[in-house]
Amino acid sequence: MNEAEADKCIAEYRALLKAWTMAITGISAGDADAMHRELDANQDKLADIAIAFPDKAYSVDLLVNARTRTWAGYEYERVPRNQSAG
């Protein structure tokens, strides 16, 4: 993996993390469980990126911690949000 591919992987993980966060909070529709499994599957790839490109380790750490600490308990405790008729 080269640096451009690593940057692309980080950007895709960040976008998926955002979509997952919006799904579990009820802001947008989406299969939060499927996104959660994809985030788990890609976390090893992020670890490999952090090892191969030490200058990207901080970004990787932020992404992993944002998922595991911010919403880990909230996902199971949230009250479904009413969908606006829009």
Side-chain angles (χ1 to χ4, degrees):
M1 174 181 296
N2 62 37
E3 192 165 359
E5 292 169 334
D7 287 335
K8 181 180 178 192
C9 183
I10 289 171
E12 289 171 351
Y13 191 93
R14 185 178 296 115
L16 181 60
L17 179 62
K18 180 180 178 182
W20 175 72
T21 301
M22 292 176 72
I24 65 169
T25 56
I27 294 172
S28 67
D31 186 350
D33 291 334
M35 286 184 250
H36 189 265
R37 287 189 297 274
E38 190 173 346
L39 288 168
D40 279 343
N42 290 331
Q43 194 164 314
D44 290 338
K45 191 184 295 185
L46 286 181
D48 292 341
I49 289 170
I51 292 168
F53 304 98
D55 60 319
K56 299 187 184 316
Y58 182 73
S59 294
V60 167
D61 190 45
L62 285 177
L63 289 173
V64 171
N65 285 328
R67 183 173 71 90
T68 57
R69 292 188 181 152
T70 306
W71 300 108
Y74 181 72
E75 178 178 11
Y76 302 105
E77 299 170 7
R78 79 172 177 92
V79 175
R81 184 177 171 160
N82 291 335
Q83 297 296 321
S84 63

